[in-house]
Amino acid sequence: YCTFGHFEKHDVSLWIDKALDLGLNDNIGVWGQSLGGAIGLQALAIDNRLKFGIIESTFADLRTIAHGYIDRTVPFLSNWYKNLVINLAANKADFKPDLVVPASAARSINAKVLLVHGQNDERIPCQNADLIFENLPKDKCQKIIVENANHVNVWPKGGEDYFKQVFQFI
């Protein structure tokens, strides 16, 4: 089951163990988009071996973003029912959805982070990037809002300038 980073963040640590066992250097980072970004932020919060993160188009809080997704597909459901659906799914996957809050995890991050979001993202609104960025260490982190980008086209809309910023950050 997908737990939106609750358990997956520990998988990242296992991958780091393996990379170091194989002799790869210790300048290891994560680059995640959407769900991968949420996992990346949560991994950065628990594993100081990660030196950087490039986090694109991710959510600040699982319950809030799940409500938004449900509203777009079934707009007439009450909050009570939406919470019931979220809780039943989380119970099935054996995790607590209220512990999946990448914006809160950001408070524990010591690595540098490049936070990227599309200006016109309707799936995960740009305000999520603002909430996360507020909790990141300002001396190590940057935020890029890509004009005219939505949830899935940050790279094409950002183009060569975006990748220059990414490589400069790394």
Side-chain angles (χ1 to χ4, degrees):
Y1 297 106
C2 175
T3 64
F4 303 91
H6 181 80
F7 291 124
E8 293 88 350
K9 65 185 174 235
H10 300 292
D11 295 339
V12 174
S13 292
L14 294 173
W15 279 102
I16 296 168
D17 292 343
K18 187 65 175 171
L20 294 174
D21 287 348
L22 293 172
L24 298 176
N25 72 37
D26 63 352
N27 190 26
I28 299 171
V30 292
W31 189 335
Q33 198 274 342
S34 193
L35 172 58
I39 295 167
L41 281 170
Q42 292 170 84
L44 284 156
I46 65 163
D47 198 320
N48 287 327
R49 297 175 300 171
L50 288 167
K51 303 303 182 202
F52 67 91
I54 301 168
I55 308 297
E56 298 175 336
S57 307
T58 199
F59 59 89
D61 175 277
L62 175 59
R63 189 171 296 275
T64 302
I65 207 64
H67 274 247
Y69 269 78
I70 294 168
D71 285 342
R72 282 192 301 282
T73 55
V74 192
F76 53 83
L77 293 180
S78 69
N79 283 342
W80 176 87
Y81 194 78
K82 287 182 266 190
N83 283 323
L84 175 66
V85 169
I86 294 164
N87 291 338
L88 287 172
N91 187 52
K92 181 80 171 163
D94 195 30
F95 81 102
K96 294 180 177 17
D98 295 322
L99 296 180
V100 180
V101 184
S104 294
R107 291 186 195 116
S108 299
I109 293 173
N110 294 313
K112 63 182 188 172
V113 174
L114 179 61
L115 188 64
V116 183
H117 217 96
Q119 178 186 37
N120 300 329
D121 191 334
E122 292 179 358
R123 292 183 193 173
I124 299 178
C126 200
Q127 295 88 332
N128 284 269
D130 298 334
L131 292 169
I132 294 165
F133 192 71
E134 287 174 12
N135 293 321
L136 289 168
K138 299 301 177 277
D139 60 325
K140 297 180 181 178
C141 299
Q142 301 170 27
K143 178 173 67 172
I144 299 173
I145 303 301
V146 180
E147 290 185 28
N148 302 314
N150 60 36
H151 190 67
V152 297
N153 67 354
V154 167
W155 291 15
K157 291 291 183 180
E160 189 176 318
D161 287 340
Y162 172 59
F163 283 103
K164 281 182 186 175
Q165 290 176 296
V166 166
F167 290 120
Q168 190 172 36
F169 173 78
I170 293 173

